[in-house]
């Protein structure tokens, strides 16, 4: 991550100083099983001091393929290895401050490999019905912008 101060020229010719954060891409993954449940993590975010459901996610390492990074993160954080991944969406959750792009992948199958290597990153990992996503978002139990976008799209795709 790098923090920069940019001299921004507005369309009317005025200038302003604006902070921007340069970040590596983030890759996320989940699986939606035959029962219509998505594999999610219940975790605490210390910056906002909030708890919520999220998708397994992490920074893409230099030279790493986005899809491979998503699969690696899901395995490390949940203990489940996803089946063949498909790109779901790419979002820019805070494009007024950072160039970070979040690439979300999903699969329809996963294999349980064992207890997650990075179990410290979440309190629990559960299969959560997609049908509950809108209610969980409304109640504030899903707050992360990338998870909100991904789960609403997956909900729409599975409940047409």
């Amino acid at each position: 991550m790098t923090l920069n101060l940019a001299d921004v020229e507005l369309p009317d010719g005025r200038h302003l100083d604006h902070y921007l954060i340069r970040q590596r891409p983030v890759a996320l993954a989940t699986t939606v099983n035959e029962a219509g449940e998505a594999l999610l993590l219940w975790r605490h975010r210390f910056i906002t001091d909030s708890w919520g459901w999220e998708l397994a996610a992490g920074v893409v390492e230099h030279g790493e393929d986005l899809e491979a990074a998503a699969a690696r993160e899901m395995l490390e954080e949940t203990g489940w290895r996803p089946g063949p991944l498909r790109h779901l969406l790419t979002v820019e959750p805070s494009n007024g401050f950072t160039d970070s792009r979040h690439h979300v992948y999903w699969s329809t199958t996963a294999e349980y490999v064992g207890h997650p290597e990075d179990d410290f990153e979440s309190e629990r990992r559960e299969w959560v019905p997609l049908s509950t996503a809108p209610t969980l978002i409304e109640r504030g139990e899903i707050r992360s912008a990338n998870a909100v976008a991904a789960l609403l799209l997956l909900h729409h795709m599975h409940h047409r």
Side-chain angles (χ1 to χ4, degrees):
M1 174 181 82
T2 59
L3 178 64
N4 298 303
L5 181 63
D7 175 22
V8 178
E9 183 175 353
L10 301 175
D12 66 4
R14 290 183 294 158
H15 286 256
L16 61 92
D17 289 333
H18 189 75
Y19 286 101
L20 67 111
I21 300 169
R22 300 270 185 212
Q23 291 180 296
R24 291 191 317 231
V26 173
L28 301 89
T30 191
T31 294
V32 177
N33 65 21
E34 290 181 6
E37 300 165 323
L39 182 59
L40 302 178
L41 298 91
W42 180 254
R43 65 179 304 168
H44 181 261
R45 290 295 183 174
F46 76 92
I47 295 171
T48 56
D49 191 22
S50 61
W51 286 89
W53 292 108
E54 295 185 13
L55 280 66
V59 174
V60 177
E61 301 299 330
H62 292 289
E64 187 177 25
D65 175 77
L66 294 171
E67 185 177 320
R72 175 182 53 77
E73 289 293 339
M74 186 170 147
L75 177 59
E76 289 175 356
E77 294 184 8
T78 70
W80 289 82
R81 178 179 292 120
L85 287 170
R86 293 182 263 182
H87 182 258
L88 179 66
L89 57 87
T90 296
V91 293
E92 298 171 350
S94 191
N95 60 9
F97 296 101
T98 179
D99 64 354
S100 180
R101 287 197 174 100
H102 294 207
H103 305 273
V104 182
Y105 290 84
W106 73 290
S107 68
T108 57
T109 61
E111 172 191 6
Y112 184 69
V113 175
H115 193 75
E117 178 182 327
D118 293 347
D119 68 345
F120 61 91
E121 291 196 33
S122 61
E123 183 176 278
R124 62 187 194 272
R125 292 131 310 266
E126 293 183 15
W127 293 93
V128 177
L130 274 179
S131 61
T132 65
T135 301
L136 294 172
I137 292 166
E138 183 179 16
R139 290 195 321 224
E141 292 183 37
I142 302 172
R143 296 174 180 228
S144 174
N146 53 29
V148 168
L151 293 170
L152 286 176
L153 182 53
L154 286 168
H155 176 269
H156 174 74
M157 291 166 56
H158 287 84
H159 293 92
R160 290 186 214 186

